[in-house]
Amino acid sequence: MRLWMLIIASVILSFISLFVGAIDIRPSDLLDWGSDETQIFLISRVPRLLAIIMAGAGMSIAGLIMQSLSRNKFVSPTTAGTLDAAKLGIILSMLFFTNATYIQQIIFCFIFTLIGTLVFMQILDRIKFKDAIFVPLIGIMYGNILSAITTFLGYEANILQNISSWLMGSFTLVISGRYELLYVSIPAIILAYLYANKFTVAGMGEDFAKNLGLSYRFVLNLGLTLVAIISTSVVLTVGVIPFLGLIVPNIVSLYLGDNLRKTIPHTMILGIVFLLICDIAGRIIIHPYEIPVNITVAVIGSVIFLTMLFRGRAYAK
Amino acid sequence: MIEIKELTKRFGKKNVVDKVSLEIQPRAITSIIGPNGAGKSTLLSMVSRLLDADTGEVLLDQRTVKKWKSEEFAKRVSILKQSNYTNVRITVRDLISFGRYPYSKGRLTEEDKKHVEQAIDYMNLHDLQDQFIDELSGGQRQRAFIAMVIAQDTDYVLLDEPLNNLDMKHSVQIMKILRKLVDELGKTVVIVLHDINFASVYSDRIIALKNGKLVKNGPTKEIINSESLREIYDMHIPVQEQNGCRICVYFNSHA
Amino acid sequence: MRSNQTKIIFLAVLAIICMLLYGFYDIKGGFDYAFPRRVIKIAAMVVTGIAISYSTVVFQTITHNRILTPSVMGMDSMYEVVQTLIYFFAGSMSIWVVNRYLNFGAAIIAMVLFALILYRFLFRTNKYPIYLLLLIGMILGTLLGSFVTFLQVLIDPVEYLSLQTRLFASFTNVKAELLYIAMGILLIAFIYGFQIMSKLDVMSLGRENAINLGINYDRMVMNILILSSVLIATSTALVGPITFLGLIVANLSYQYLATHKHSTLILGASLISVIALVGGQFLAEHIFELRTTISVIINFVGGIYFIYLLLKESRSAG
């Protein structure tokens, strides 16, 4: 697949995305600057598209970074407890830092996500048996444990429904003024691109990296920080979007190999295309209602992942 | 009496066992030999109803094996395959007691206990009887499973490469026990062997398979000679006689 | 080493203490009101505990492993899929919903089919390593779960409410009527199970050894898959999915009782389940005064125990 094909696909899908929804908006309506349609377009549709683009690109890149650093194809925010750590961080900050400002809460969440991911990397370090299948298993279980704590706290504070609807993973509530946090993922993605080669080298292991004169600790921590920034901003604004960081980089690596410099643009755009398709499908199927995007992504994503597990075992090694 | 008629098994397009017909001579040790992939284990599996044949049939006392009730068959024929599950927490004694399952369905009678005791004696497992099988070495475990089959007390005992994982001492020990089963208790033993010298020294008859086809079937003496062996293994194998045993010296032979 | 009989008696006493504590502790005022409700809850926990332990142990015997359980392989999600599909295609007024027996029967048949497919493709051939199976199972669970949510969004909101009451099961709102059905099923399962305990012992030696000893192995596997599905359907219908309970209690039972005898193993696992559920619920409700249901705690503890098991198993494998 060529990059330009992906770009064209994403442009067409973006266009469709702008004009699909509960309220019918035609391109011609936009000529009238003062019309209701234009207002809706600017307050809801454009932010929604931007949010999808940033979330799609961000989550895919986050997955790619984690896969290079751990040198395991199946490690991703979904399969390493990162998203669950972000969720737990949010509920903790809601419970214990009620008086803190929004920014302080965000910073707390971010730090918590970072710690959650670091803990997993620590566990990974201790495991002798670094099988492509075994590591994500541990990661999923680790995520389940964090999730159980979240549910527990949610029950006790009686805000379970509250958070589960909020963390649902949907672009329905994305309107102007509620998604801007996602912009922090843009510098993160740029940094990821600049450091791409170093992530690959760091993934080869500490000794290997040092031999090449690379500050292993710095690169590792930078990578995980970027993952945490992206994950936190996505979870806080649109909720949990599973599997994206897992399958998109894997599909790209199937046809393009593993040179990070080359794969990053593909991964980004394919992530966007994938998320756009899921979101548009969710809006069309039961129009004028909506199916939250995380459900569509989870159904399609788990099917793709299962196919990869069944067919690509040799490749995963 | 076990008769095999035109037995065939296909895996994919390949006939792994191809129209094999023969009779197993009672009260004797019959060894099945042949190169890798000749279909030895598959043949044994079909005879012991572990595997269904595609065509042909196996008769036990003139009745086709498919018509036998599985539990009745288990009182007449026993089979031991190479792969044995080891993740079960079970003591050697309990494992051997399972050999009595076809008779007592898990509730041991005095008669059953006597058989278990005998099997332990036979395989010399007194010291190990209370150990768990997952704590044993491969050879010890193999002996425990053979003891189970002995406790099963069937007329026919089929063994698929029972000497795998065993050192020389235990291999000889087991072959001697099989000999005793035949000579003293009148059992019929059919055994897949890799080492032709064990086949030569201990068996009464030899069946040779190659590419799924029966190539030789007869008394040991008629098979252990250079001509017949060339037919089976496609290599020159000199045979020397030592203390009345025919030994095949294939270690530095040329094809 | 204490004999297994002593150990079982010890577990039984502990289970009874838990039940008594839960039944009578701090029961003020409306005894007539509170007590029967507690008894129903205890009964539900006992039935669930036994059903899950039983189905997990027999499932692990026929699949020859100790980390895969019917729940982990997505069988309780399958129950929800069936119920949702029935609502989706037949509607809440159809006979498939109104008639409880028909509904339950349909769910069980679908689950048995699912279990058979799983078995045929995943377990029968030794093609897939155990960790891959586990990962497949978990992702399958996610897939089925998301598929259920997906269908639920599509269903008419009124229908959805009715479905919710059907699917939203927990120990706090056990339906007495369903409890009786469950007890009946358990009874039948036990009468059948009683005859096959010794066969199960033989089957744990593997397919070839079991056939050698005269077991009709493939038919037994089929029967046990059906048994296992029925039991899981029963417990899921009664109180909803409790993913890790089976895994924890089965493994604790193997470890504590160190035997191959299924009668002992299943009894032990059932008692441990009752202790975990009733005792845990007692602690959570009365001592720590939590709102959380016991399943959340079990999933938390279970997750940690699972990682421990995985690391232990991998060390012996690697």
Side-chain angles (χ1 to χ4, degrees):
Chain A
M1 209 174 327
R2 294 293 164 87
L3 193 56
W4 61 264
M5 288 155 77
L6 279 177
I7 292 175
I8 290 178
S10 69
V11 170
I12 296 173
L13 286 167
S14 303
F15 191 75
I16 297 174
S17 168
L18 286 174
F19 295 100
V20 167
I23 293 154
D24 215 12
I25 301 177
R26 287 192 192 91
S28 54
D29 294 332
L30 298 179
L31 295 176
D32 179 1
W33 192 246
S35 71
D36 284 353
E37 280 83 1
T38 313
Q39 285 303 306
I40 291 169
F41 190 78
L42 290 178
I43 293 171
S44 159
R45 295 291 166 78
V46 173
R48 182 173 190 142
L49 177 62
L50 291 174
I52 295 172
I53 290 176
M54 287 185 281
M59 288 313 291
S60 313
I61 296 297
L64 187 60
I65 296 174
M66 291 182 86
Q67 282 146 36
S68 334
L69 286 179
S70 64
R71 259 210 303 171
N72 186 316
K73 288 276 182 220
F74 292 153
V75 171
S76 72
T78 320
T79 48
T82 308
L83 295 178
D84 302 284
K87 255 168 43 182
L88 182 54
I90 290 173
I91 196 168
L92 283 176
S93 75
M94 279 167 73
L95 285 178
F96 299 113
F97 299 96
T98 35
N99 296 326
T101 62
Y102 183 54
I103 298 291
Q104 283 168 329
Q105 286 190 344
I106 291 173
I107 292 174
F108 174 79
C109 281
F110 156 72
I111 292 173
F112 197 85
T113 313
L114 185 60
I115 293 173
T117 316
L118 275 173
V119 167
F120 179 70
M121 287 311 218
Q122 279 301 312
I123 298 177
L124 209 59
D125 252 2
R126 307 263 151 93
I127 304 175
K128 293 268 162 353
F129 187 55
K130 286 199 178 54
D131 185 72
I133 303 295
F134 192 67
V135 169
L137 261 184
I138 299 284
I140 292 176
M141 289 319 304
Y142 171 66
N144 278 354
I145 294 171
L146 295 179
S147 238
I149 301 176
T150 310
T151 316
F152 176 79
L153 293 173
Y155 258 118
E156 293 312 309
N158 216 2
I159 51 170
L160 190 62
Q161 277 196 317
N162 211 342
I163 54 160
S164 58
S165 69
W166 182 33
L167 297 178
M168 176 83 159
S170 161
F171 292 101
T172 320
L173 296 176
V174 170
I175 50 169
S176 152
R178 291 196 52 171
Y179 76 104
E180 282 77 1
L181 179 62
L182 272 174
Y183 283 115
V184 302
S185 62
I186 294 178
I189 293 172
I190 295 171
L191 267 175
Y193 186 70
L194 293 177
Y195 274 83
N197 289 333
K198 295 186 179 159
F199 292 139
T200 318
V201 175
M204 300 290 183
E206 187 161 5
D207 298 339
F208 187 86
K210 274 194 180 139
N211 181 37
L212 290 180
L214 193 74
S215 165
Y216 175 75
R217 284 281 140 205
F218 174 73
V219 175
L220 187 71
N221 290 335
L222 176 75
L224 295 183
T225 308
L226 295 180
V227 169
I229 288 176
I230 295 171
S231 304
T232 316
S233 66
V234 171
V235 172
L236 271 173
T237 45
V238 291
V240 173
I241 303 175
F243 289 112
L244 201 61
L246 179 62
I247 53 171
V248 171
N250 271 293
I251 295 173
V252 172
S253 124
L254 265 182
Y255 70 82
L256 208 67
D258 285 333
N259 184 341
L260 229 50
R261 270 293 165 110
K262 248 166 59 187
T263 53
I264 281 186
H266 281 256
T267 308
M268 238 167 67
I269 311 280
L270 188 65
I272 295 168
V273 168
F274 186 81
L275 202 54
L276 274 171
I277 294 175
C278 289
D279 187 59
I280 292 171
R283 276 187 274 174
I284 289 174
I285 294 175
I286 47 169
H287 186 87
Y289 304 105
E290 267 194 53
I291 300 168
V293 76
N294 76 327
I295 299 176
T296 342
V297 173
V299 171
I300 301 175
S302 49
V303 171
I304 296 180
F305 187 43
L306 279 176
T307 328
M308 291 193 317
L309 285 178
F310 274 113
R311 308 181 77 189
R313 275 201 299 142
Y315 138 81
K317 280 167 193 164
Chain B
M1 173 79 134
I2 293 183
E3 279 173 84
I4 298 168
K5 284 187 176 166
E6 302 263 302
L7 209 58
T8 300
K9 181 77 192 173
R10 274 181 295 274
F11 287 138
K13 281 183 181 161
K14 196 180 174 238
N15 283 359
V16 183
V17 172
D18 198 354
K19 289 194 179 155
V20 170
S21 299
L22 53 91
E23 284 177 14
I24 306 276
Q25 182 178 319
R27 292 166 188 268
I29 294 186
T30 304
S31 295
I32 305 179
I33 62 167
N36 286 338
K40 305 177 295 260
S41 293
T42 313
L43 179 67
L44 206 64
S45 292
M46 284 190 290
V47 173
S48 56
R49 56 125 166 48
L50 293 183
L51 201 63
D52 287 332
D54 287 328
T55 55
E57 55 181 359
V58 178
L59 301 174
L60 170 67
D61 296 344
Q62 274 93 51
R63 189 141 62 107
T64 170
V65 164
K66 280 181 195 150
K67 290 242 172 79
W68 277 84
K69 279 182 90 175
S70 191
E71 46 194 77
E72 289 305 313
F73 193 81
K75 294 179 189 168
R76 300 293 312 282
V77 179
S78 56
I79 166 80
L80 184 64
K81 294 276 288 181
Q82 314 159 11
S83 62
N84 281 311
Y85 287 91
T86 54
N87 63 352
V88 200
R89 281 295 274 182
I90 178 175
T91 62
V92 170
R93 195 184 184 84
D94 286 338
L95 178 76
I96 298 170
S97 304
F98 270 127
R100 300 307 295 169
Y101 184 82
Y103 302 90
S104 56
K105 307 284 175 249
R107 290 182 184 278
L108 294 187
T109 62
E110 284 307 312
E111 167 85 15
D112 293 326
K113 284 181 187 150
K114 226 172 69 198
H115 279 280
V116 172
E117 217 54 59
Q118 239 169 30
I120 292 176
D121 276 345
Y122 242 87
M123 292 309 292
N124 200 7
L125 284 166
H126 290 282
D127 300 342
L128 298 176
Q129 59 175 316
D130 292 321
Q131 287 203 35
F132 286 99
I133 56 165
D134 54 354
E135 292 161 356
L136 302 181
S137 72
Q140 291 170 328
R141 200 178 301 135
Q142 185 73 295
R143 280 160 59 205
F145 272 96
I146 293 177
M148 177 185 96
V149 170
I150 292 176
Q152 202 177 334
D153 191 28
T154 51
D155 300 339
Y156 295 88
V157 179
L158 317 183
L159 302 157
D160 190 356
E161 299 203 21
L163 306 185
N164 266 9
N165 301 323
L166 294 192
D167 55 27
M168 286 176 285
K169 181 180 156 201
H170 287 114
S171 298
V172 169
Q173 194 183 11
I174 281 177
M175 291 311 292
K176 285 199 163 136
I177 286 164
L178 295 180
R179 205 53 259 175
K180 252 166 76 184
L181 285 179
V182 173
D183 297 340
E184 292 174 8
L185 303 177
K187 310 271 181 207
T188 305
V189 174
V190 182
I191 177 170
V192 172
L193 279 180
H194 230 93
D195 186 332
I196 41 175
N197 286 326
F198 273 113
S200 162
V201 173
Y202 287 96
S203 49
D204 304 302
R205 293 179 69 85
I206 286 182
I207 293 169
L209 295 180
K210 186 177 166 187
N211 295 327
K213 292 205 166 58
L214 183 69
V215 282
K216 289 281 168 197
N217 177 15
T220 306
K221 267 187 238 151
E222 291 171 19
I223 314 257
I224 302 298
N225 54 56
S226 293
E227 299 96 276
S228 301
L229 290 174
R230 176 181 289 282
E231 239 179 282
I232 303 165
Y233 291 102
D234 291 323
M235 64 191 271
H236 174 66
I237 301 177
V239 176
Q240 294 174 359
E241 192 146 333
Q242 232 158 26
N243 307 335
C245 301
R246 292 186 181 202
I247 305 296
C248 309
V249 191
Y250 50 82
F251 301 100
N252 59 355
S253 105
H254 305 281
Chain C
M1 200 172 83
R2 267 191 293 176
S3 81
N4 276 340
Q5 205 172 0
T6 330
K7 288 182 185 172
I8 289 284
I9 292 173
F10 171 69
L11 287 177
V13 170
L14 211 58
I16 291 171
I17 291 175
C18 287
M19 288 195 263
L20 291 178
L21 271 179
Y22 189 79
F24 290 103
Y25 182 83
D26 198 24
I27 193 159
K28 297 186 203 96
F31 183 86
D32 293 340
Y33 170 75
F35 187 65
R37 289 169 60 96
R38 287 193 184 183
V39 169
I40 287 198
K41 268 171 96 171
I42 292 177
M45 287 189 267
V46 172
V47 168
T48 312
I50 296 175
I52 290 181
S53 316
Y54 196 162
S55 72
T56 305
V57 172
V58 296
F59 184 84
Q60 295 196 330
T61 296
I62 57 169
T63 52
H64 302 295
N65 83 88
R66 288 182 171 184
I67 49 176
L68 299 176
T69 70
S71 302
V72 172
M73 294 309 288
M75 266 168 71
D76 43 17
S77 319
M78 198 56 203
Y79 176 83
E80 299 185 337
V81 170
V82 177
Q83 292 298 346
T84 313
L85 279 176
I86 289 177
Y87 272 74
F88 189 72
F89 287 112
S92 61
M93 286 299 127
S94 74
I95 179 116
W96 295 99
V97 175
V98 178
N99 186 331
R100 284 253 176 204
Y101 299 101
L102 202 59
N103 178 284
F104 203 66
I108 286 173
I109 289 170
M111 283 172 71
V112 170
L113 285 178
F114 177 72
L116 285 180
I117 292 169
L118 267 187
Y119 187 81
R120 262 216 124 58
F121 286 102
L122 300 182
F123 293 107
R124 182 83 183 270
T125 57
N126 286 328
K127 213 164 84 188
Y128 301 108
I130 193 97
Y131 300 122
L132 182 68
L133 285 179
L134 187 53
L135 191 58
I136 288 174
M138 296 185 108
I139 303 298
L140 213 56
T142 316
L143 171 63
L144 295 176
S146 330
F147 183 61
V148 167
T149 330
F150 183 79
L151 288 178
Q152 286 172 353
V153 180
L154 301 187
I155 289 175
D156 177 274
V158 183
E159 297 268 285
Y160 178 65
L161 271 181
S162 149
L163 174 64
Q164 272 280 307
T165 55
R166 176 63 59 94
L167 281 185
F168 186 76
S170 80
F171 287 115
T172 33
N173 70 343
V174 174
K175 295 175 191 65
E177 152 200 19
L178 211 54
L179 187 61
Y180 300 134
I181 302 181
M183 283 174 158
I185 291 173
L186 213 56
L187 190 69
I188 296 168
F190 262 92
I191 293 170
Y192 174 66
F194 204 67
Q195 311 162 3
I196 62 162
M197 284 301 164
S198 62
K199 286 192 183 175
L200 280 167
D201 297 346
V202 180
M203 287 173 80
S204 61
L205 294 179
R207 180 172 183 272
E208 285 155 352
N209 288 314
I211 295 180
N212 167 45
L213 295 171
I215 302 283
N216 206 328
Y217 190 86
D218 296 326
R219 206 179 65 205
M220 279 303 294
V221 162
M222 182 83 146
N223 291 353
I224 289 169
L225 280 178
I226 294 173
L227 177 71
S228 191
S229 310
V230 171
L231 290 170
I232 285 290
T234 310
S235 87
T236 314
L238 203 58
V239 297
I242 314 177
T243 314
F244 291 115
L245 182 66
L247 180 95
I248 303 177
V249 298
N251 277 288
L252 285 180
S253 177
Y254 300 141
Q255 222 166 43
Y256 184 54
L257 298 169
T259 175
H260 63 278
K261 290 223 179 302
H262 281 75
S263 45
T264 314
L265 284 176
I266 292 174
L267 189 59
S270 302
L271 289 171
I272 296 173
S273 290
V274 172
I275 295 167
L277 287 175
V278 183
Q281 188 78 29
F282 170 73
L283 287 179
E285 236 176 85
H286 295 296
I287 305 300
F288 299 111
E289 299 185 341
L290 302 172
R291 297 164 195 262
T292 313
T293 62
I294 187 71
S295 8
V296 177
I297 299 172
I298 285 179
N299 277 351
F300 174 70
V301 178
I304 294 174
Y305 186 62
F306 202 29
I307 291 191
Y308 159 77
L309 275 181
L310 282 175
L311 292 178
K312 203 180 88 181
E313 291 262 323
S314 77
R315 214 163 292 143
S316 60

